[in-house]
Amino acid sequence: MYCPRCQTTLLRATRLEDGLVGESCQSCQGALVGLAHYRDWAERAPLPQDAEAGAPAADVQPVPDGQRALRCPKCSRLMSRYRIGHGVSNALDLCPACDEAWLDGGEWRLLRALQLSRHVPRIFTQVWQHRIRAEQQAQTARERLRQQLGEEDAAKTQALREWLQGHPKRNLILQWLNRP
Ligand SMILES: [Zn+2]
Ligand SMILES: [Zn+2]
């Protein structure tokens, strides 16, 4: 099997963690991981010391993302890309036919730093992907507001919006604000 990214380098068996093997590329450090095997490992492996609970580690180093769509090294089908989220632009590639995931070089380390290394299959769900899109849209909207109003007024508007959300007299306040 050749590396789906480099295409000329043969993949070799590698160990991502104790008890978790995959096949990796010596040249780009990417790795192919079978999800059946992964689930088995994730269920059995003891939790790491740095704990999975709580906020992601603060020292998340950016990892370059491959961008280009890949073909599965096993069956040559186009792999689907799934955004990781959590503020990084990286995406994992998945072949739904083979149930194999491709991680670009450094992305396993990234998943660990984001406390997601034990929850990889979650990334491949619609719920996860929808949430990332919604977060992104909200981010874009806030950015646009900042450009239109300036930093200070945009912050005030955002605070007002948050205060109004869930306020029992929300409509009354809105009517009052719109009063001529
Ligand atoms: Zn490679
Ligand atoms: Zn495949």
Side-chain angles (χ1 to χ4, degrees):
M1 258 193 316
Y2 286 97
C3 170
R5 181 114 7 242
C6 307
Q7 289 170 341
T8 49
T9 315
L10 277 167
L11 296 178
R12 289 199 193 153
T14 188
R15 210 182 54 145
L16 284 98
E17 298 282 334
D18 272 342
L20 179 63
V21 291
E23 303 206 49
S24 81
C25 170
Q26 310 282 303
S27 125
C28 69
Q29 312 301 321
L32 189 72
V33 182
L35 285 189
H37 176 61
Y38 170 87
R39 284 191 193 94
D40 195 46
W41 166 80
E43 268 172 32
R44 290 171 198 216
L47 282 172
Q49 290 288 304
D50 51 346
E52 287 294 307
D59 59 337
V60 176
Q61 300 292 320
V63 170
D65 181 37
Q67 306 288 343
R68 187 169 49 88
L70 301 177
R71 288 198 175 274
C72 172
K74 276 195 173 167
C75 71
S76 303
R77 283 190 182 89
L78 218 48
M79 300 177 95
S80 312
R81 289 174 64 71
Y82 292 86
R83 296 276 306 266
I84 294 174
H86 279 20
V88 301
S89 64
N90 299 68
L92 304 183
D93 298 88
L94 176 77
C95 174
C98 303
D99 213 22
E100 296 270 350
W102 174 261
L103 283 69
D104 283 320
E107 283 181 343
W108 180 254
R109 198 164 18 89
L110 182 69
L111 289 173
R112 287 189 64 143
L114 294 170
Q115 317 268 15
L116 284 172
S117 64
R118 313 272 304 209
H119 310 287
V120 171
R122 248 186 239 175
I123 296 169
F124 302 130
T125 60
Q126 288 216 341
V127 175
W128 191 274
Q129 295 302 313
H130 279 160
R131 212 200 56 210
I132 293 174
R133 271 194 293 276
E135 276 168 12
Q136 223 172 357
Q137 279 162 3
Q139 175 78 33
T140 309
R142 277 196 298 272
E143 194 51 51
R144 205 180 313 128
L145 190 69
R146 255 200 300 276
Q147 282 167 6
Q148 288 167 329
L149 291 180
E151 193 74 49
E152 199 184 329
D153 285 354
K156 276 184 196 164
T157 309
Q158 182 64 24
L160 181 64
R161 179 185 152 86
E162 278 161 26
W163 173 69
L164 270 174
Q165 272 172 353
H167 194 290
K169 301 264 170 72
R170 182 171 183 273
N171 284 339
L172 179 70
I173 298 166
L174 285 174
Q175 273 168 24
W176 185 260
L177 287 174
N178 280 321
R179 218 167 53 112

